[in-house]
Amino acid sequence: MSGVVAQNVGRRSGLVKAPEAAGGAWTLIQTITASSDATISFTSGLDSTYDEYCFQFVDIHPSGDNENFQFNASLDSGSNYNIAKTSAYTQGEHNEADSSTFIGYKTSMDLAQGTGAQVLVQGVNYANDSMCSGYMHLYAPSDTTFAKHFISYMGATMGGGGDYIQSNHVSGYINTASAVDAIQFSYSANNIDTGTISLYGIG
Amino acid sequence: MSGIVAQNLNRQSGLIKAPEAGGGAWTFISKTTASASATLSITSGLDSTYKVYFITYNNIHPETDNTHFTFNGSIDSGSNYNVAKTSTHFAAYADEGDSNTSLGYETGHDLAQGTGVQNLLNEIGNDNDQSASGYLYLYNPASTVFVKHFTSVSQLVNAGDYSRNQFVSGYLNTTSAIDAVQFKQSSGNIDSGDICLYGLTI
């Protein structure tokens, strides 16, 4: 550290030395707010700047009932979202009536080299007070040696006529040694009515 | 913003305007340290400033053996902690003797519209070296439209010398704003440990 104001590092006003990095371990790259959108795509900001990225999902509300919230990845800046993925999907459930509980593997929600979308939340309720929230970490998407791992943990109010909490734990890898440079989120059939998705770089 | 170097905000070298908060997307809001405390309450800082809040609980050590670390929400700044919650709770565990392992649903620790406390950490031991740690995400507590989801991951040493990895998620089933949360043991005090609250800029 050098310069006439080095001693002012850490002060919150006046003239200070710039932080060494962007100013924190998590850097907000972009926030996209949904407004009856079929898809939400992040086509910039995923590069070699960070080795870890995190998407935060807040109040993602579908326009239709019982919708799966999902993502896919692109190698060509969003022209195509069709990368092979292999994943594991664990789910917990419990209803407000206290008559049903579940913890287990969801065979129908995982992928085995599937190029279609990876479900992050199964069957979101579209009642006015219902939605899903959570996060997904994506590791080293610009790496050109390894596959790209992802880990997500999301809670949802579950659709299909019940009032359930659903806990969704999904991890897997995007099975390519090419750089992943875009990610797209969508509901399985209808729009993302409202909600925000934020992308952070970590490190 | 004011001053001769305001235009230099976001530059990474030279003379710049200081960031308004601690910099970065996370903002540290508060830390509450237990000292034989019956409850640890966060009654400020949970508002519409952030849509994602993150609460860490570090080395929670109970006074009483085999008790649960719990939380509840309030919609009246902490006067009452009694918001209905529906949750799911599962855990993986293994004992030090390598004789017992399991992954399963924890029926007795979930809630179905219960207004009582939500268990986050089960059966914590109170030996001198036993404690529990983890984190809790709370999404958009100030919303007056949606219920409020929470997700937690915790790790603890239980009273029987088991390592327990617990996953609890659920929703505070109210469209009123949640403005306070409280943590306590199911019995006895929280002897030591701390709870930190962070907000995430979106």
Side-chain angles (χ1 to χ4, degrees):
Chain A
M1 187 181 299
S2 63
V4 296
V5 291
Q7 69 277 19
N8 283 337
V9 172
R11 290 181 64 174
R12 300 294 174 221
S13 62
L15 298 175
V16 299
K17 176 77 167 58
E20 296 301 324
W26 284 45
T27 299
L28 175 62
I29 297 170
Q30 185 181 12
T31 294
I32 299 177
T33 300
S35 179
S36 298
D37 296 312
T39 60
I40 288 181
S41 303
F42 289 83
T43 56
S44 62
L46 287 167
D47 52 34
S48 60
T49 305
Y50 301 98
D51 278 340
E52 181 179 355
Y53 290 83
C54 182
F55 294 94
Q56 287 279 346
F57 313 102
V58 179
D59 294 351
I60 308 297
H61 181 74
S63 63
D65 194 24
N66 209 18
E67 288 279 318
N68 297 342
F69 183 64
Q70 58 194 16
F71 88 99
N72 212 333
S74 171
L75 306 179
D76 51 15
S77 303
S79 296
N80 298 280
Y81 291 94
N82 57 358
I83 310 306
K85 296 169 287 298
T86 296
S87 61
Y89 198 116
T90 304
Q91 190 178 80
E93 292 177 4
H94 185 209
N95 66 343
E96 294 183 4
D98 203 17
S99 59
S100 177
T101 61
F102 173 79
I103 174 66
Y105 193 90
K106 295 294 284 190
T107 308
S108 59
M109 295 292 110
D110 65 7
L111 291 175
Q113 295 298 92
T115 57
Q118 170 63 58
V119 174
L120 298 176
V121 184
Q122 181 188 15
V124 181
N125 193 322
Y126 81 143
N128 287 341
D129 65 350
S130 297
M131 40 73 206
C132 62
S133 293
Y135 60 83
M136 181 178 83
H137 288 262
L138 175 63
Y139 297 89
S142 67
D143 186 275
T144 53
T145 303
F146 298 111
K148 285 71 181 169
H149 287 283
F150 58 90
I151 300 173
S152 76
Y153 183 4
M154 296 194 65
T157 38
M158 187 176 160
D163 288 312
Y164 281 74
I165 172 64
Q166 189 184 80
S167 173
N168 297 271
H169 306 255
V170 187
S171 62
Y173 53 89
I174 302 167
N175 198 4
T176 177
S178 299
V180 168
D181 56 9
I183 296 287
Q184 183 177 80
F185 299 95
S186 62
Y187 272 113
S188 47
N190 289 287
N191 289 340
I192 304 172
D193 245 2
T194 58
T196 59
I197 303 176
S198 297
L199 172 63
Y200 302 85
I202 301 175
Chain B
M1 187 183 300
S2 62
I4 58 172
V5 291
Q7 67 276 20
N8 284 336
L9 193 65
N10 295 326
R11 289 182 59 175
Q12 302 308 318
S13 63
L15 297 175
I16 61 164
K17 175 75 167 59
E20 295 301 322
W26 287 106
T27 297
F28 169 74
I29 297 170
S30 66
K31 179 178 181 177
T32 308
T33 301
S35 179
S37 306
T39 61
L40 296 177
S41 302
I42 298 173
T43 57
S44 63
L46 284 170
D47 52 35
S48 61
T49 305
Y50 302 98
K51 287 189 175 180
V52 178
Y53 286 89
F54 186 70
I55 299 171
T56 62
Y57 31 94
N58 306 304
N59 284 336
I60 300 297
H61 181 74
E63 173 191 38
T64 305
D65 195 34
N66 201 22
T67 54
H68 316 314
F69 181 70
T70 73
F71 93 101
N72 211 333
S74 172
I75 58 173
D76 53 14
S77 303
S79 296
N80 298 279
Y81 292 94
N82 56 2
V83 178
K85 295 169 289 299
T86 294
S87 62
T88 179
H89 191 137
F90 67 91
Y93 57 83
D95 69 333
E96 294 183 2
D98 200 19
S99 60
N100 195 0
T101 61
S102 180
L103 167 65
Y105 196 89
E106 305 261 303
T107 305
H109 300 284
D110 60 7
L111 290 174
Q113 295 298 92
T115 58
V117 296
Q118 172 64 59
N119 291 350
L120 295 175
L121 303 161
N122 303 346
E123 306 161 0
I124 309 172
N126 76 338
D127 290 354
N128 287 341
D129 64 349
Q130 293 180 324
S131 68
S133 297
Y135 61 82
L136 172 77
Y137 272 101
L138 177 60
Y139 290 93
N140 204 6
S143 170
T144 55
V145 175
F146 296 114
V147 302
K148 286 76 180 168
H149 282 286
F150 58 89
T151 57
S152 76
V153 179
S154 305
Q155 168 63 28
L156 66 98
V157 186
N158 91 342
D161 294 326
Y162 280 69
S163 172
R164 289 182 60 93
N165 183 199
Q166 302 194 181
F167 300 85
V168 183
S169 62
Y171 50 85
L172 297 142
N173 197 2
T174 177
T175 54
S176 299
I178 297 290
D179 55 12
V181 293
Q182 183 178 79
F183 299 87
K184 64 180 181 180
Q185 290 298 126
S186 54
S187 177
N189 291 335
I190 303 171
D191 257 358
S192 61
D194 62 68
I195 295 175
C196 294
L197 174 66
Y198 302 83
L200 181 63
T201 300
I202 68 168

